[in-house]
Amino acid sequence: MFKILTDLPDRVLAVSAVGKITADDYEKVLMPMVEEKLTKYGKVRILYQIGNEFNTFSMMALWDDAKFGLAHWKDWEKIAVVSNIGWLRGTIWTFKWLMPSKFKLFQNAKLEQAKQWICGDRL
C-alpha cells in the first residue's frame, strides 16, 4: 500500500511504499492523486520513497507504474525517488537520462534532503 506523506506543500505528491505494492494501489490510490495534481497544477512533483517498510511490487504494479509514467511523460515537473534497494536504484540510474523532468535519486537516510529538493525552485 501507499502511505501518504503529509508534511509537504500541496503541490507535491509524496508517498512511501509499505508492504506489497499492487496494481490496485496504483489504480485506486496513486493514479487518482496524480490526476488530481495535474488538474490543479498542470505538472506534478512527486516524492516516491521505497524504504524499510517496503516488501515487494506485484508484476502488475510494475506494469502499471511503467505504463502510467509513460502516459504522463511530460507531466512530471520534478521526481525524487528515495530508496536503498540496489536493483531498483540501478534500474532507475540506467534510465534516468530519458526523463524529461528534473529527477534525483536519494538514499533513505537522505529523505529530508529529498523533501527539500522536491520543494525547491518555485512552488
Side-chain angles (χ1 to χ4, degrees):
M1 69 182 222
F2 288 113
K3 177 174 131 185
I4 310 307
L5 306 177
T6 58
D7 58 341
L8 293 162
D10 185 60
R11 185 175 182 118
V12 176
L13 172 57
V15 297
S16 183
V18 176
K20 182 177 184 176
I21 302 299
T22 67
D24 263 4
D25 295 320
Y26 273 91
E27 294 164 9
K28 294 180 179 171
V29 178
L30 192 62
M31 291 177 183
M33 291 173 64
V34 168
E35 296 292 345
E36 177 186 327
K37 299 289 183 198
L38 283 172
T39 299
K40 195 169 185 179
Y41 298 107
K43 292 257 187 190
V44 177
R45 290 184 183 202
I46 187 165
L47 185 148
Y48 191 172
Q49 182 187 29
I50 305 157
N52 297 332
E53 297 178 33
F54 168 76
N55 291 331
T56 190
F57 292 102
S58 73
M59 289 305 292
M60 288 307 295
L62 289 172
W63 174 246
D64 278 350
D65 181 71
K67 188 171 58 172
F68 192 70
L70 289 171
H72 290 287
W73 192 248
K74 295 190 181 219
D75 294 331
W76 310 112
E77 183 177 3
K78 288 176 97 173
I79 301 170
V81 176
V82 183
S83 182
N84 293 344
I85 300 171
W87 70 265
L88 182 64
R89 290 179 62 84
T91 302
I92 291 169
W93 191 256
T94 300
F95 293 104
K96 82 174 205 151
W97 63 274
L98 293 171
M99 299 300 292
S101 64
K102 293 180 182 179
F103 176 87
K104 200 159 183 182
L105 185 59
F106 296 87
Q107 293 281 340
N108 280 313
K110 305 283 185 175
L111 177 59
E112 290 307 313
Q113 286 181 342
K115 289 178 180 181
Q116 290 173 8
W117 180 80
I118 202 74
C119 293
D121 302 330
R122 295 185 318 252
L123 258 175

